[in-house]
């Protein structure tokens, strides 16, 4: 086999690679991600009152988020396949913002983290809320999708600095 | 990060979760599932005589069952991804019932069982038989899809009581 | 291009084909399929009382069935991709049988029917009920998965003869 | 077949349905969605300077967004399968915000809109940017995912009121 | 590469797009693609004699090719989703070359062609032959995957010049 | 449970099986596969000059190859799911042949090899090059897709004899 180092990358700037994860060590890993779906007055009220024609918004979004987490490595080109041990997706009604706060928790044991799985769960759950409410209003915004905390892995534990003052937590 | 226990589940009854499997221990696991596709006289005869226009029914169903097993966690919302080490799908012509008895065997090593993979293999193989025979008759019924036995895992070995007297086995 | 008729099929018995649907005419099509999940006393009671640890069984099964219908042509090797216009999955508690009766309705407009989509929805919904109840009992059986009726298409309307006397309907 | 109206929905609040789209008329449809990925100083600079270890961030995100749009109906439970005629995903470097503004345009001809496809393209492209930059910083936020405009369909053309003053547009 | 900061499209050279197909007109379309799997003496003989441990090579490859065709737009980033009306995958034993000649035929009606679907069917069928024979030998080569002919669409009919003299046809 | 050996395979020749991999031992595994896409003069020149209307051919093909590798076990019926630790797809402009040489490298740790993943990456990357160039010419041929080397696993290391003299390497 030719020495890979002699191969010409036709476009060294354009090249992408799925990083080698085999040097990382197995460990328990968790991640928590969050986001917020701004619905406006009417859609917010109708979700809370179970008055959306397509059906139960939050259970549908919860299941979509969990199933979405399992598709993460198929959606994100350079993301590794993590064997997910557990996923939870929760919602909080945020009255002040007329928004639904979405939170996802993922857990695995292995060489790669589950941050992207948690973020994908939040995104897919949020898109599902959008889809179910879009006959009420199209003025819906999905905001502030971010990682709140992670544990395990080479880079150890991490916690978002903004969490203490996040309105979602108060 | 906020204490998860203080988060308000907006609808405690509606909430679903993909259970945390990380406390389970790795072990070899197998499962056998079975089902029966009632074809009626003409379709049964034609499957046996390789006289179905779409082609070889049982090989197609066998492959569909194996591939279906690998999609289990993408189809069943709260099912974990098991790393399948082997899948077999077998068929028996059941003359008395003018039916095809479908059996699937799955094997893995890991923290989660492969019962759902075996049951999914049986279901997808059975639906494939249906699909290939539906130009002959629409009076086809898929019945008695069940787990026959499993080994390994926290709950240990298990065997369906009805197996001894099941017509499929006599 | 060589005349296809002169090509040697190496194994004429083994050959499979996805039939040419292009001569069929566009029409509105619907299908209704049904099945029954025998749960036994405890699991039946607990599903009805929303007392299953994994969460809301029927909503999860409903969503799984709808999403499964959309995967039909990816699961069934020779099945065409139908553009589904609508899917409904319903459940009835069958007290006498301690079973859940599953019903799926599918609708499309195009050259191919949606019978397989309805049957797949029933099967995936039933497997999901199984998955969520399997910590209660493994003695669960999925039975009587069949087509109840279809409308539209070349072969016209069709209704299962057994429907009038089916216990699910009485 | 039983009159569907007499079927008992076991949980009328929990029921979900994929709405019947067959009464809608075929028409050309387009949608534009947008979002913003806040990267912070270092990751923003490195994306712009093509200095991310995993490779070319924006081309990868662009392709992920396009491919994600094609998966929309598999991710969002009650979303119909739209036959997409075209997808574009664009990026703008937003110096003031140290963010990348993501925009997706989708086009189809059929009975269902492509708003969800555009929003999914934006979300998956944004998650991909996140994934490629997360070794630089975990303080990345995906914000303001929303529909900017749509044309065609029963509800006609629609434009987000906020577009005129959005910094992304100025 | 252009300076990203000066453009709406940050990187016109690097940008990719899924071309707008909506101006194309609906028409019947077909495509034929071919390829050749060089197996070497032993594997060639064993495939022909049905003596491969994993099972029936050609039926498995045939089904894999058909199912692969249905995944084309999910595998090829900028490929449109064609509604496939029919797929056939055929094989010819090529004694001289100790190879299996693979041929796929695809058919659709719509705005986009099915050349990529036929080529994908050939590739996936060929990879499946490889997979089933790789315990016999690893010296297997998939060669000459190409389009032989297409009909329909804006660019009309087309036929590969080399077909007349291709050994596969003689 | 009945002794599996007494089950009648209705068609012993037609049966397929996903081999039991559980007796294999975990080990680091790598594979390198290669292929060549013959483009002809004009398409070759235009790929090199970034003058293809659909966009950046090689980056798109690279990402498609990486994502394709992650779909291998879903495409190849009897292939096991390998947990891929890393994938690289590289290209070399082959002036003499007016071709692009495609090379894929895959890495995993587990009981099954990653040869099929490397070959699938090459095939999907090659098909993507085809798709992006097919508006320039339809006379494109994908040739010589083969395994160049593998390491790890029960059968140990292996290297294709032809590599030393392959024009791709000279």
């Amino acid at each position: 086999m030719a020495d890979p180092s002699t191969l010409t990358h036709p476009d060294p700037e354009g090249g992408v690679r799925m990083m080698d994860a085999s040097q990382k060590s197995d460990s328990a890993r968790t991640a928590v991600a969050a986001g917020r779906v701004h619905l406006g007055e009417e859609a917010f009220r109708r979700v809370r009152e179970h008055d959306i024609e397509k059906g139960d918004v939050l259970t549908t979004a919860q299941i979509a988020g969990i199933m979405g987490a399992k598709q993460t490595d198929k959606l994100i080109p350079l993301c590794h396949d993590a064997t997910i041990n557990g996923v939870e997706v929760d919602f909080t009604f945020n009255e002040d913002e007329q928004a639904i706060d979405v939170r996802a928790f993922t857990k695995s044991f292995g060489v790669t983290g589950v941050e992207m799985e948690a973020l994908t769960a939040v995104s897919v759950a949020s898109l599902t809320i959008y889809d179910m409410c879009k006959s009420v209003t199209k003025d819906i915004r999905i905001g502030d999708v971010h990682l709140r905390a992670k544990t395990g892995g080479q880079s150890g534990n991490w916690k978002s600095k903004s969490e203490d003052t996040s309105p979602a937590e108060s």
Side-chain angles (χ1 to χ4, degrees), chain A residues 18-92:
Chain A
M18 189 170 158
M19 307 303 289
D20 182 357
S22 63
Q23 296 311 312
K24 300 187 180 182
S25 57
D26 274 359
S27 71
R29 292 151 181 280
T30 66
V32 179
R36 181 170 293 168
V37 187
H38 297 268
L39 289 171
E41 188 181 348
E42 184 183 356
F44 181 72
R45 181 179 50 74
R46 288 175 67 170
V47 170
R48 202 160 47 176
E49 295 173 3
H50 294 285
D51 184 28
I52 293 290
E53 191 185 10
K54 278 188 171 184
D56 182 336
V57 173
L58 296 188
T59 304
T60 307
Q62 201 175 33
I63 292 170
I66 291 169
M67 295 181 86
K70 296 194 274 186
Q71 297 281 8
T72 303
D73 75 302
K74 302 299 185 290
L75 293 170
I76 314 295
L78 308 180
C79 186
H80 293 84
D81 180 14
T83 302
I84 301 174
N85 281 334
V87 182
E88 283 176 36
V89 177
D90 296 312
F91 304 100
T92 314

Side-chain angles (χ1 to χ4, degrees), chain A residues 33-37 100-104 122 126 142-146 148 168:
Chain A
R36 181 170 293 168
V37 187
I100 293 171
D101 290 335
V102 182
R103 196 192 71 113
V122 167
S126 298
I142 300 171
D144 209 25
V145 176
H146 69 288
R148 280 169 53 174

